[in-house]
Amino acid sequence: MSKRTATELQEPSASLEPTGKKPFRSEARNIPQDEMGEFEDGWEDEYESDEEVVDGENGDGMEVDEEVLPAIEESEEQPPAPDVFIPGVHQLGKDEILEPDESVYIMRHSMNVNWPCLSFDVLRDNLGDERQRFPATAYIVTGTQADLAKNNEIVVYKMSSLHKTQKLSDDSDDEDEEDEDALDEDPVLEFRSMPHLGGVNRVRAQPLPRSSPLPPVAHPYYVASWSETGKVHIWDVRPLIESLEVPGYTPLHSRTHTPAFTINSHGRAEGFAMDWASSGDSSPSALRLLTGDANSNIYLTTTTPSGFNALSRPYVSHTSSVEDLQWSPSEPTIFASCSADQSVRIWDVRSKDKKSVTGIERAHESDVNVISWNRATSYLLLSGGDEGGINTWDLRNVKKKGASAPDPTPVASFQWHTQPITSIEWHPTEDSIFAASGADDQVTLWDLAVEQDDEESGAMDDTPEGGKAVPSQLLFVHQGQKDVKEVHWHPQIPGAVISTALDGFNIFKTISV
């Protein structure tokens, strides 16, 4: 990552990678804005003036055989390496912005949108799993934060022609080697939308079984939206996907302009927490949706053969706003929640008193904003706090309800981010890797399996100037977006990450994951 003056580079997205895993670069250039540069003649030194031209004889009159003169060796001196930029340690100067080091990206694209989007989710497609070829294609669903409540929308975006990042090769031998995936073509963005009353706080798509195709267009593909009006709407976005895939397809107005169901259980209380679950392969159409609000209530909505059924009695144990919810990946009746009351709680929907069965009373020193349940190792839970901390919990150590034992200690804890954690998510298949985003404009990628090797750490041996050491588990830091709100892995494109921020979306894949 390099720093340049804003007059040199006008690019809305940039990125950087921390030292220790892969080199990341940072350089500052300050060119006086009132100084006009001039062209340099690349051939200037190869021609001499008329006065400097001499005969091919030396002063002794001896002829010189030019064929036996020693060859003039070209200088092998390399330009100085750019300075390292470490977030939280170094500060950008006036009129400086970050410039990405494209050598650490396999793919990187940015997308500007009409209105900011606080939340999005990745939609499943029929293009296959474990996709490695380029150009890539991705579908997402999101909701807007427009100027007026009536101007908001639920939007399905199709991002296609996502080519690999162009890299300049210093090896002339590579000129003959062509990478058919690395074409210099612009990405294509298409979208379809439906009206939504009120700003969208959170969007979540129903889970589909791994390796399963999209449902036929006649069947629904549900997406839930948390509205600032206090209502949770459930939409069928399958017709919007079809209209992006099939030219000339026109969806029915009734399917795209009216919610399939609206949950009114929260009254006028606003909320953000929401998570879907299915009953697995045995009954994938049997869905369950949890929603939590600012009044500390959690409601469960289920599906029946006739439609959706919103249960009227809430789950109540938190004493402040419910910030996030996660269903257990291994037990269909268990879910976790986090709250502004600093706690993480575990629930069982079969509990008659609608109270949590266990939990961590003081999971963070401030509000717990987000959680993520590991789908590969089901006893691991991540949490991100308002203080910028990230904790990893082993749920096998959590005390039972009513026990006098103290709260467990997190098995891993990181204080890299300097502002509240806004999103966190485990990698869909690698149980030690996760992504996080913060209000400090960083998207970070981590691997808990990495251990510091003092003998091989190189530049990591010394704490950087400013006293902030780079954790060995920190693989990558992506920057350039303003006020990052949410981050997700793409489950069908290994290593691909999508993030949303105040200034739009980024989709990228790094050399680190």
Side-chain angles (χ1 to χ4, degrees), residues 265-266 289-291 293 297-301 311-315:
S265 307
H266 299 276
L289 178 65
L290 287 168
T291 51
D293 61 35
N297 294 320
I298 300 171
Y299 287 92
L300 174 63
T301 299
L311 305 185
S312 58
R313 189 179 171 193
Y315 296 88

Side-chain angles (χ1 to χ4, degrees), residues 53-123:
V53 175
V54 295
D55 293 335
E57 297 179 351
N58 61 12
D60 299 332
M62 181 181 67
E63 295 185 358
V64 178
D65 187 353
E66 296 183 358
E67 294 182 359
V68 299
L69 288 176
I72 300 176
E73 295 185 1
E74 296 182 0
S75 174
E76 297 182 357
E77 183 178 352
Q78 298 295 325
D83 296 332
V84 171
F85 181 89
I86 302 178
V89 174
H90 302 128
Q91 299 295 327
L92 288 176
K94 184 180 179 181
D95 296 329
E96 289 182 336
I97 61 175
L98 293 172
E99 180 186 80
D101 179 0
E102 300 291 5
S103 67
V104 298
Y105 287 96
I106 297 174
M107 172 186 71
R108 185 182 69 86
H109 297 279
S110 61
M111 179 178 78
N112 295 324
V113 291
N114 292 331
W115 299 108
C117 301
L118 294 181
S119 178
F120 74 99
D121 208 355
V122 181
L123 294 173

Side-chain angles (χ1 to χ4, degrees), residues 204 273-277 288-291 325-328 375:
R204 290 292 180 266
M274 180 163 59
D275 195 34
W276 286 97
R288 295 162 287 143
L289 178 65
L290 287 168
T291 51
L325 291 160
Q326 284 273 283
W327 284 102
S328 166
R375 300 193 176 280

